[in-house]
Amino acid sequence: MGDLVTLIVGAVVTLMIFSYLLGDNVLYRWALALLAGSAAGYALGVAVRFVLNEWILQALVGQPGTEGLIYAVPLLLGSLLLLKGFSPTRSLGRISVIGNIPLGYLVGVGAGVAVSGAVLGTLIPQVLATGEAVQIDAGVLGIIQGVIIALGTILTLLYFSTTAREREDDIESRSTGARLIRGTGRFFLVFALGAAFSGALTSGLTAMVLRLWQLADLVSRLIAPFGG
Amino acid sequence: MIRCPSCGSLNQDGRRLCENCGATLPQTKIRCPKCGALNPVGNIFCDQCNARLLSEEEMLPPELEEASDESHSAPAVKGISLPTRTSQGQETEDEAERLPDWLLDLSGDIEASEGEDSIEEKDVGGAAEYPDWLLANAAGLGTERSESSEEEETEETELEEEAEPLLFSESELPDWLSAAQSLAKTEDVEDAEGESDVDALGLEDELLFDAAAEEPGAGDEAPELQPEEASRLDADVPEWLIALSDQDLEEDVEPETPEEEVSAAEMPAAGILAAAMEDGPVEQEGELAESAASEDVDEEAMPDWLAELEIGAASDEGIAVVGEEDEETPPALLEGPTWLEDLAEAADSEPASTVPALIGDTSGDLDEEGTEEETFATDEPVPDWLRDLDLSTAERAQAQAPDSEGLARAELPAWLQELAPPDAEAVLRGEEGTSEAEGLTPADLPDWVKALRPEPRKEGEMPRRRDIFVTPAEPEGPLEGLPGVLPAVSLVDMPSDIRLSTRAEMPETVQAQAKLWQQLLEEPRSRERPIVQQRATGAPGSRPVRLFVAALVVIVIFLALWLIPEGMQLVQTAPSQVAPGIPAFVEGVDALQPGDQVVVAVEYTPAYAEEMAEIAAPILDHLKAREASVRFVSTLPEGGGLGKLLARRAQIDARVFGEGYLPGNANGIAAFMETSEGQAARHLIVLTSAPERLRWWIERNRLAPGAGDAAGVPVSVGVSAAAAPLVTPYLESSDVQGWVAGLYQAQAYRELRAGGAATGQAGDYARVIDVLMLGHWLLAALLFLALLYNLAAGRKGGR
């Protein structure tokens, strides 16, 4: 019975989302607000229950002596971060500046981690993978594929490096090689974006098919008692 | 110095552009003697009233232009080192620029006050820089000249333009000698018909060393008087002077040789000079003779050179004789005293300078004790009257010449004089006690002004930059010792109607921005900001098309789900071909031993829960079959709940690490990889629809402690169809062991595990795949139709 109720609620909300085909309406907005609100509420509940209650407060209380005081640091920083909720134009807006301390800490640590991870985990492996794509013993098709991958990577990067503010009278002044690099790099970029769009379309179509499949399953269950 | 109005740096006087920033500097102006308006230096007539700014005498007559050019090209007369007034217009402008402003104003005031008599105008205008006693002599001379005919006056005026330095030479002569020269000129004008005043003034020209200037070689050597020339000059000497000379020579010195005569000429006739100055200018020859005869000057004999000078001035024939000798040896230089010879040598050796250096730069040198006389005697041959005009020696000038008061007062413009207090004249005269007598006390300087007083520099210490470029310290008064207090820009030329305004001129754009900021600041805080909401609106008639397309897709998919029979399998998949990452994925899971811990990262939002659940289903079934210990984690708060949902659907006993939430995104992943749970993992499976979160896991796994050179824990990825194209480079790299992308590959994963045969549950997913493939074909057809429609509409619109 629980699954049936869940299936019915899901079908109704799906139809409310589909109502956007008729234009922007209250049903669509209500379903959209339900999705966003439930996600935010769930995230808040998880943060309060598990992060704040189980991790920090229990660590502060449960640790013997002063060992638990180290958990007061994230608690303090998190509390200061709440001060950012005050609008700077309000009367208590000045105290929102204090929230910049944990915010700066978060941004700084995040940037440091991102830089190290991007260099060691992304940039170098991608360069190596691009180089490994060209293999002599991979056959003709393998070589062509590797060359296309390498050229696509390089030309796409060169497209961004040669991107300058265009003027109507400046386009013709570019050299033929530069225009060829730009055009090829843009082709690969558009091709990649097209593939991304196709993936998004596939995901959306998959979600719709699965939703309609569940609706069909619901209809089958509903008409089954009547001999369907 | 002129302070730049743009950058504030100091520039030399006469500069038009700032040396520092290139800005235009405020230029010296010429005040109109008629209306008082300020005119540019280059103006000849006033822009306001069209009055002549420069007297006609200051303009060069056309016929003398060539001669004037030659005279300017030649070494200038600097024997007396007085400012020689040029007659050319351009030279006048240059001179006006070189001369200080106060001196130009002084000249203009004198011209304006005495303007009726043309001769007086010329003399006074030209003698604006001369002391009063010299002006008086010049006036007497002009009066005598007025008696001549107009033609002669015109000719005389033109010629005096050339001989104008005569006045300067006269300034060096004592009064009695100037008077004698006046008499000589008068006699020349009246008696010597047919002879030009050039001859009459030839002697004075000799005094100015014009000949020496034209022939530098002639003036380089000290001239000596030859006996023949001396005897010939004696014939031209008037009797009264001969008698006086003979008497003096008999009683005092009897020069036997020319050298002794020259030495005797160097002796100053102090008694004669003093007596002549007491008597004042002599206007008649008889009076001069009587005066000279009546003086008891037996003991102070007149030198021969003075006697010969007088002879040359009184005798027309003598002038002619002297003029002939002028080409070879300047007679005046021959008979001149030692100090005149020194000046002549200085004139030959130094470049031309129309402005005495003591006015500007060497004023400080004049203050130095012991060097003043030497400076004037050798390097700076400047007469005393001009030295008195020096502002730095104002007190000395007041003590020596009472008329200098008038000069000092004349330096101020009229508008500034009106602003002067009642006792200003008394103060100018040096009667400082007057102001104190009226109850005025010295000004009390505020502390901040006193703080600006610089400390005396130590010996050997370099002057600071501020001390160099800022206006020099005030030499006197309550601000004594304070530099930079008074502006360096001369206020003499400031117009009377100037209005100082503190309002800065701002561009309109800046004012508009400031006004906008002011409005924003004054806006009430409680006022709600307008929210711009622009709803998407399609083209007219697009809604029916959109409804038609949506209805068509929904109906086709719905009917396909109903009508396509089970096991039809429109799409015959070949897992190894369509998904090269699936076999490696399967092999990695198969390598797990029962009880091995597998970390499953749930990195997708509820919006993708439907698709990701179908992708994760075959993977979790595989893990269940391998009896792996599954731990769900996520950097999203809702990830833990979605993980529990997956575990329930897969019917596996999975745990959620810390309720599945790793706060801190990449930092949370790094922290998790350092925990015992993370280090105990044998396989890492990332289920994501966000490319960046997959990147975080790959990066942190490579950097995990204990990973070393290896790629860390083996990573397999289940990614949505939307994110697959964006993470393909990661999927094909060595960091990822296997991957499953989208619902289609998930179905291939099932078939691969089942050995290529569709099982019961897999058959349901096969029908979904068929419907999905049908939907793709349908969408592709619609997109193609839309393309054709747009092309057709574009052509129609183009027409």
Side-chain angles (χ1 to χ4, degrees):
Chain A
M1 186 62 184
D3 293 340
L4 182 61
V5 174
T6 303
L7 191 61
I8 294 174
V9 172
V12 172
V13 174
T14 301
L15 293 175
M16 295 170 64
I17 294 296
F18 283 169
S19 66
Y20 186 74
L21 295 173
L22 302 175
D24 193 9
N25 55 80
V26 178
L27 297 178
Y28 166 74
R29 291 189 177 188
W30 187 86
L32 201 63
L34 178 63
L35 177 64
S38 59
Y42 183 81
L44 178 63
V46 169
V48 171
R49 178 181 177 184
F50 299 105
V51 178
L52 183 62
N53 187 22
E54 296 186 4
W55 290 5
I56 296 179
L57 293 181
Q58 290 188 6
L60 280 173
V61 178
Q63 295 292 337
T66 59
E67 294 180 359
L69 294 178
I70 192 173
Y71 292 95
V73 176
L75 180 62
L76 177 62
L77 293 177
S79 302
L80 293 178
L81 196 58
L82 294 176
L83 298 178
K84 293 296 292 182
F86 292 97
S87 175
T89 59
R90 302 292 180 178
S91 58
L92 297 177
R94 292 182 179 180
I95 63 175
S96 66
V97 180
I98 304 175
N100 292 335
I101 298 174
L103 193 62
Y105 173 78
L106 289 176
V107 172
V109 173
V113 172
V115 168
S116 62
V119 173
L120 299 178
T122 299
L123 187 60
I124 295 176
Q126 287 298 315
V127 172
L128 294 177
T130 304
E132 293 174 355
V134 183
Q135 296 179 356
I136 304 300
D137 55 350
V140 178
L141 295 178
I143 293 175
I144 294 175
Q145 182 180 2
V147 170
I148 292 175
I149 292 174
L151 285 178
T153 304
I154 295 172
L155 294 179
T156 304
L157 293 176
L158 288 177
Y159 167 76
F160 287 102
S161 65
T162 58
T163 299
R165 178 173 296 179
E166 291 186 358
R167 295 184 305 176
E168 295 181 356
D169 56 346
D170 195 28
I171 295 177
E172 298 299 332
S173 64
R174 297 178 184 272
S175 62
T176 306
R179 283 188 283 125
L180 182 61
I181 291 175
R182 278 179 52 85
T184 309
R186 186 163 54 185
F187 169 77
F188 280 104
L189 189 62
V190 171
F191 198 81
L193 293 177
F197 173 73
S198 65
L201 184 63
T202 301
S203 292
L205 188 59
T206 301
M208 188 176 70
V209 170
L210 294 176
R211 280 289 88 195
L212 294 178
W213 186 24
Q214 290 188 357
L215 288 176
D217 187 20
L218 176 62
V219 173
S220 300
R221 291 187 182 185
L222 292 178
I223 64 174
F226 303 98
Chain B
M1 306 292 285
I2 301 177
R3 185 180 292 279
C4 176
S6 178
C7 64
S9 62
L10 295 179
N11 297 271
Q12 293 291 336
D13 290 334
R15 292 276 183 183
R16 296 180 181 276
L17 302 176
C18 178
E19 295 180 349
N20 186 28
C21 64
T24 303
L25 298 175
Q27 297 297 317
T28 303
K29 303 297 181 57
I30 300 177
R31 183 180 299 280
C32 176
K34 185 177 180 180
C35 65
L38 295 176
N39 294 271
V41 178
N43 278 19
I44 298 176
F45 298 95
C46 177
D47 294 335
Q48 190 70 25
C49 63
N50 203 26
R52 175 177 286 277
L53 300 176
L54 301 176
S55 60
E56 295 180 355
E57 290 76 13
E58 292 176 321
M59 305 302 296
L60 182 65
E63 58 271 17
L64 296 180
E65 183 177 1
E66 182 179 358
S68 177
D69 292 338
E70 294 177 359
S71 64
H72 286 299
S73 62
V77 176
K78 292 175 287 298
I80 312 300
S81 184
L82 287 175
T84 56
R85 179 176 297 277
T86 59
S87 299
Q88 192 173 2
Q90 181 63 32
E91 292 291 338
T92 306
E93 295 178 3
D94 298 337
E95 180 183 4
E97 293 181 359
R98 287 193 297 269
L99 290 179
D101 301 336
W102 58 270
L103 209 53
L104 292 175
D105 291 343
L106 176 61
S107 176
D109 293 341
I110 294 177
E111 290 180 359
S113 59
E114 304 176 10
E116 296 181 356
D117 191 339
S118 61
I119 297 180
E120 286 184 1
E121 265 190 5
K122 176 179 70 66
D123 291 339
V124 173
E129 303 168 359
Y130 313 142
D132 293 343
W133 61 270
L134 193 55
L135 295 175
N137 289 337
L141 180 61
T143 304
E144 295 296 331
R145 288 175 181 171
S146 62
E147 297 176 2
S148 59
S149 62
E150 294 181 0
E151 180 179 358
E152 291 176 348
E153 279 185 0
T154 305
E155 183 179 1
E156 179 183 3
T157 302
E158 296 176 353
L159 295 174
E160 282 185 4
E161 290 290 339
E162 289 182 336
E164 199 171 13
L166 168 65
L167 297 174
F168 302 117
S169 64
E170 286 182 353
S171 65
E172 290 297 317
L173 300 177
D175 293 346
W176 64 270
L177 194 54
S178 300
Q181 291 175 353
S182 302
L183 292 175
K185 295 173 184 175
T186 305
E187 188 177 12
D188 293 338
V189 172
E190 294 177 350
D191 299 336
E193 296 181 358
E195 294 185 4
S196 65
D197 284 344
V198 176
D199 297 332
L201 300 175
L203 179 58
E204 288 76 9
D205 290 340
E206 308 306 331
L207 291 175
L208 293 177
F209 310 109
D210 280 341
E214 295 175 357
E215 298 179 6
D220 294 339
E221 299 178 356
E224 295 181 356
L225 185 62
Q226 301 298 327
E228 295 79 5
E229 296 175 350
S231 60
R232 189 170 52 187
L233 291 175
D234 289 341
D236 301 331
V237 175
E239 296 178 355
W240 62 271
L241 200 52
I242 294 175
L244 179 60
S245 175
D246 295 338
Q247 183 179 0
D248 295 337
L249 294 175
E250 291 176 359
E251 294 181 3
D252 290 336
V253 184
E254 295 182 0
E256 297 179 356
T257 61
E259 289 77 6
E260 292 179 352
E261 291 180 5
V262 172
S263 62
E266 296 174 356
M267 299 176 61
I272 298 177
L273 295 177
M277 292 180 66
E278 290 177 1
D279 295 337
V282 181
E283 298 181 355
Q284 300 294 331
E285 183 181 1
E287 295 178 5
L288 173 63
E290 293 175 1
S291 175
S294 61
E295 294 293 333
D296 187 10
V297 293
D298 296 340
E299 297 180 358
E300 296 97 9
M302 178 183 296
D304 293 341
W305 64 273
L306 283 179
E308 291 172 358
L309 288 177
E310 192 65 27
I311 292 170
S315 172
D316 295 338
E317 298 177 356
I319 291 173
V321 172
V322 172
E324 294 177 354
E325 296 177 356
D326 176 38
E327 297 179 355
E328 298 180 358
T329 304
L333 189 61
L334 292 174
E335 285 84 24
T338 306
W339 63 272
L340 276 179
E341 294 176 2
D342 295 337
L343 297 182
E345 294 176 356
D348 295 335
S349 60
E350 294 182 350
S353 175
T354 56
V355 180
L358 86 164
I359 295 177
D361 300 332
T362 59
S363 59
D365 298 334
L366 297 177
D367 298 335
E368 297 178 359
E369 296 181 0
T371 60
E372 178 182 358
E373 294 299 330
E374 181 180 359
T375 302
F376 278 89
T378 59
D379 297 335
E380 299 293 339
V382 179
D384 294 340
W385 65 270
L386 193 53
R387 190 191 316 169
D388 296 339
L389 294 178
D390 187 7
L391 292 178
S392 61
T393 58
E395 296 180 359
R396 183 172 50 193
Q398 292 176 358
Q400 293 178 356
D403 290 341
S404 62
E405 298 171 4
L407 293 176
R409 185 169 59 251
E411 296 170 3
L412 300 177
W415 64 271
L416 198 56
Q417 291 181 2
E418 294 175 357
L419 299 177
D423 58 347
E425 296 182 357
V427 176
L428 290 176
R429 290 192 300 268
E431 300 174 2
E432 298 179 356
T434 305
S435 58
E436 294 181 358
E438 295 178 3
L440 297 178
T441 59
D444 294 333
L445 297 178
D447 295 337
W448 65 272
V449 176
K450 293 179 180 179
L452 296 176
R453 192 185 302 276
E455 297 179 357
R457 283 199 308 270
K458 299 177 181 178
E459 294 183 357
E461 183 180 1
M462 294 296 293
R464 293 170 295 184
R465 182 180 177 86
R466 188 184 64 179
D467 297 340
I468 296 175
F469 295 99
V470 176
T471 307
E474 297 299 322
E476 57 186 359
L479 302 178
E480 181 179 1
L482 294 178
V485 176
L486 298 180
V489 179
S490 175
L491 297 176
V492 176
D493 296 330
M494 184 179 294
S496 58
D497 57 345
I498 187 173
R499 293 180 177 86
L500 298 177
S501 174
T502 57
R503 182 177 182 181
E505 296 294 336
M506 292 292 179
E508 295 180 357
T509 56
V510 176
Q511 293 180 3
Q513 292 177 355
K515 187 177 181 180
L516 178 60
W517 278 110
Q518 185 66 23
Q519 292 177 354
L520 293 176
L521 293 176
E522 292 177 354
E523 186 178 5
R525 295 178 178 177
S526 60
R527 182 178 179 181
E528 295 182 357
R529 303 289 176 85
I531 300 175
V532 178
Q533 293 181 347
Q534 183 176 4
R535 298 181 179 179
T537 56
S542 61
R543 174 172 292 187
V545 176
R546 190 169 52 185
L547 286 176
F548 171 76
V549 171
L552 179 63
V553 172
V554 170
I555 292 172
V556 169
I557 291 175
F558 200 80
L559 293 178
L561 289 173
W562 279 85
L563 298 179
I564 292 177
E566 294 183 3
M568 184 177 179
Q569 292 192 354
L570 295 176
V571 179
Q572 300 293 330
T573 58
S576 60
Q577 296 179 0
V578 300
I582 294 178
F585 200 149
V586 175
E587 292 176 0
V589 176
D590 289 338
L592 293 174
Q593 300 298 323
D596 287 347
Q597 182 167 304
V598 178
V599 175
V600 178
V602 183
E603 300 291 351
Y604 57 87
T605 59
Y608 290 89
E610 198 83 39
E611 180 185 8
M612 294 306 300
E614 301 300 331
I615 295 172
I619 299 173
L620 293 177
D621 292 339
H622 197 185
L623 291 176
K624 180 181 177 182
R626 298 302 303 170
E627 298 179 355
S629 176
V630 179
R631 298 289 185 271
F632 287 104
V633 294
S634 176
T635 59
L636 296 171
E638 57 269 32
L642 295 175
K644 291 180 179 179
L645 181 61
L646 293 176
R648 190 175 61 183
R649 293 181 59 179
Q651 299 177 356
I652 60 174
D653 186 14
R655 293 188 302 170
V656 179
F657 176 78
E659 298 300 328
Y661 179 47
L662 301 176
N665 295 333
N667 298 327
I669 296 173
F672 170 75
M673 299 302 291
E674 294 179 355
T675 62
S676 58
E677 296 275 350
Q679 294 180 1
R682 292 295 178 265
H683 203 94
L684 175 62
I685 298 174
V686 181
L687 303 176
T688 181
S689 61
E692 68 277 3
R693 298 189 184 274
L694 173 62
R695 179 167 56 85
W696 292 344
W697 278 103
I698 294 175
E699 293 172 356
R700 292 299 101 185
N701 178 57
R702 174 178 283 275
L703 301 176
D709 295 335
V713 180
V715 179
S716 297
V717 179
V719 63
S720 66
L726 302 178
V727 296
T728 300
Y730 292 95
L731 300 178
E732 295 180 350
S733 65
S734 59
D735 294 330
V736 176
Q737 186 177 13
W739 73 93
V740 176
L743 195 61
Y744 183 67
Q745 293 188 10
Q747 179 63 17
Y749 190 98
R750 289 191 180 92
E751 293 178 3
L752 184 60
R753 281 193 60 208
T759 59
Q761 190 177 5
D764 297 338
Y765 284 102
R767 189 168 60 179
V768 172
I769 295 301
D770 292 338
V771 174
L772 183 61
M773 185 58 64
L774 184 61
H776 278 145
W777 280 108
L778 178 61
L779 292 179
L782 291 175
L783 289 175
F784 183 74
L785 292 176
L787 177 62
L788 294 178
Y789 174 79
N790 288 330
L791 290 176
R795 288 184 179 180
K796 185 180 299 183
R799 293 175 183 175

